[in-house]
Amino acid sequence: MDWKAVIRQQLESRNYRETASFQNLITFYNKIYDSSLLLRAQNIQLESQIIRGNTGGDYVYSEKISALEQKLLLQQEELTELHRRRGENAQMIIDLNAKLQLTEQTLTSKNHSLNENVKIVASLRAEISLYQKNNSELKQLNQVLKDEHQALQLAFTKLEEKLRTLQDENRELVVRLMTYKSKDADKLNEENDHLVRARNAIMQNELKEAANDMRGVTSECLTTAVSNSIGPIMASPCAMPSKASIRFDAHDGVVSAVKWSPVDRMVATGGEDRKVKLWDVSKGVAECKGMLIGSNAGVMSVEFDSTGGQIVAASNDLASRVWTVNDQRLRVSKYD
């Protein structure tokens, strides 16, 4: 990789920059050391010459020796300084090597961490691409669901409008049916009143004819016959009740079937609310003794058996059900 080459080049340049001056110093030290060795050799030769020379030349040689000794002392001092600087430079080199090793270790750990981070980044990028793909699929699915919801909403709106229309038609039909039933009831009442009046008229005519026919009838017998006939004549107009003794709401809606129990003053009713109810009317008020909800459609007919212990009911769901009356209550034991 490019960054590794750059780091390596920087380390090499720094190593060269920091060691180049020490290399020059070591070369200079070696030269001075060689020159000091040469001077020592010359000094030894001069001493030997001084020893072999005459006394006339002692003074000249002594001056030369002193000059050489001074020069040697200077060279030794310079050599000592170079040794000291060499030791310092060696210590600096050791420290720099330690720092270089530490830096290399740090660089190695960072390279390892960088490789791991590169792998993590690659895996994260793969996960991001997978999530983006899933997100696009979810968006498409969401769009499909929105379209389906919109279509269902439109269908629901149409069905709701149709339901409202059917409810309006149903209400209208119910109103018309109630109107027709009220008209039929009024017509039946009129026919019943007309029949009662006709019967009363016929009976009065027969009584008049019987009263006019006095043959073979004594006054006492006539009085007895008239008194005996007055009861039925006076009671006949009361044969049709004009006022209900008990009135109660048996069902939620139209009552389709009513039947008296053969043994007790119990009434079984069935209605379009799909219920069968048992009523006790012996106390002058209607008291519900039981109710069974089992039909899937309106109950159209109810009937007791000869003992009054069971009730059979027929409904519009093409089924008949039998329920048992237990202690004047409906017990849930039915047979379809």
Side-chain angles (χ1 to χ4, degrees), residues 84-101:
R84 185 181 63 78
R85 292 179 64 184
R86 180 183 178 183
E88 292 177 354
N89 292 329
Q91 185 65 34
M92 290 177 64
I93 290 171
I94 291 171
D95 295 337
L96 290 174
N97 287 327
K99 289 182 180 180
L100 180 61
Q101 291 178 358

Side-chain angles (χ1 to χ4, degrees), residues 31-41 72 75 79:
K31 289 180 180 180
I32 292 175
Y33 183 75
D34 293 336
S35 63
S36 65
L37 291 177
L38 182 61
L39 289 173
R40 283 183 181 180
L72 181 62
Q75 293 291 332
L79 181 62

Side-chain angles (χ1 to χ4, degrees), residues 199-233:
R199 287 181 180 178
N200 290 332
I202 293 170
M203 190 175 293
Q204 288 178 1
N205 292 328
E206 290 179 353
L207 289 175
K208 287 180 181 180
E209 291 178 357
N212 292 328
D213 190 6
M214 302 298 291
R215 295 175 297 175
V217 180
T218 62
S219 61
E220 184 178 356
C221 293
L222 179 61
T223 304
T224 303
V226 171
S227 62
N228 291 332
S229 62
I230 287 173
I233 293 172

Side-chain angles (χ1 to χ4, degrees), residues 275-295:
K275 299 176 183 177
V276 175
K277 295 183 181 180
L278 190 65
W279 303 88
D280 184 5
V281 295
S282 61
K283 298 178 182 179
V285 293
E287 181 181 359
C288 185
K289 291 295 184 179
M291 176 178 64
L292 185 64
I293 301 174
S295 299

Side-chain angles (χ1 to χ4, degrees), residues 15-267:
N15 189 19
Y16 176 77
R17 185 174 63 252
E18 292 180 357
T19 58
S21 59
F22 299 112
Q23 289 177 358
N24 294 329
L25 182 63
I26 291 169
T27 303
F28 183 68
Y29 170 78
N30 291 328
K31 289 180 180 180
I32 292 175
Y33 183 75
D34 293 336
S35 63
S36 65
L37 291 177
L38 182 61
L39 289 173
R40 283 183 181 180
Q42 291 178 0
N43 190 10
I44 292 170
Q45 290 177 2
L46 289 173
E47 287 180 354
S48 63
Q49 289 178 3
I50 289 171
I51 292 171
R52 288 191 301 267
N54 52 16
T55 58
D58 291 339
Y59 181 76
V60 176
Y61 288 123
S62 63
E63 290 181 354
K64 289 182 179 180
I65 290 170
S66 61
L68 289 173
E69 287 179 352
Q70 291 178 356
K71 189 174 182 181
L72 181 62
L73 290 172
L74 293 173
Q75 293 291 332
Q76 288 178 351
E77 291 178 355
E78 188 174 1
L79 181 62
T80 303
E81 181 68 19
L82 289 174
H83 278 294
R84 185 181 63 78
R85 292 179 64 184
R86 180 183 178 183
E88 292 177 354
N89 292 329
Q91 185 65 34
M92 290 177 64
I93 290 171
I94 291 171
D95 295 337
L96 290 174
N97 287 327
K99 289 182 180 180
L100 180 61
Q101 291 178 358
L102 182 62
T103 304
E104 288 178 352
Q105 292 178 358
T106 305
L107 182 62
T108 304
S109 63
K110 288 184 177 180
N111 288 331
H112 183 67
S113 177
L114 182 61
N115 292 328
E116 291 181 353
N117 291 327
V118 168
K119 293 179 181 179
I120 293 171
V121 168
S123 64
L124 291 175
R125 286 179 178 175
E127 290 181 359
I128 289 171
S129 63
L130 180 61
Y131 288 149
Q132 288 177 351
K133 184 178 179 181
N134 292 332
N135 189 16
S136 62
E137 292 178 355
L138 289 174
K139 286 182 178 179
Q140 294 177 358
L141 181 61
N142 190 16
Q143 186 64 35
V144 172
L145 291 175
K146 284 182 178 179
D147 296 337
E148 291 181 356
H149 179 266
Q150 187 175 3
L152 291 173
Q153 190 70 26
L154 293 174
F156 176 75
T157 304
K158 292 181 180 179
L159 291 174
E160 192 174 11
E161 292 178 355
K162 187 176 180 180
L163 178 61
R164 285 197 294 268
T165 304
L166 291 175
Q167 287 178 351
D168 294 337
E169 292 178 356
N170 188 17
R171 283 194 292 270
E172 185 179 357
L173 291 173
V174 169
V175 171
R176 291 172 61 185
L177 180 61
M178 295 300 293
T179 303
Y180 290 151
K181 284 188 176 182
S182 63
K183 289 181 179 180
D184 291 339
D186 294 338
K187 187 175 180 180
L188 289 174
N189 290 330
E190 290 178 359
E191 292 178 355
N192 194 9
D193 292 339
H194 180 69
L195 182 60
V196 170
R197 285 195 297 269
R199 287 181 180 178
N200 290 332
I202 293 170
M203 190 175 293
Q204 288 178 1
N205 292 328
E206 290 179 353
L207 289 175
K208 287 180 181 180
E209 291 178 357
N212 292 328
D213 190 6
M214 302 298 291
R215 295 175 297 175
V217 180
T218 62
S219 61
E220 184 178 356
C221 293
L222 179 61
T223 304
T224 303
V226 171
S227 62
N228 291 332
S229 62
I230 287 173
I233 293 172
M234 296 302 293
S236 61
C238 297
M240 292 298 295
S242 61
K243 184 179 180 180
S245 60
I246 301 173
R247 178 181 177 85
F248 59 95
D249 294 331
H251 294 272
D252 298 333
V254 179
V255 179
S256 302
V258 178
K259 190 68 178 180
W260 281 98
S261 173
V263 293
D264 296 323
R265 291 184 60 81
M266 304 293 292
V267 179

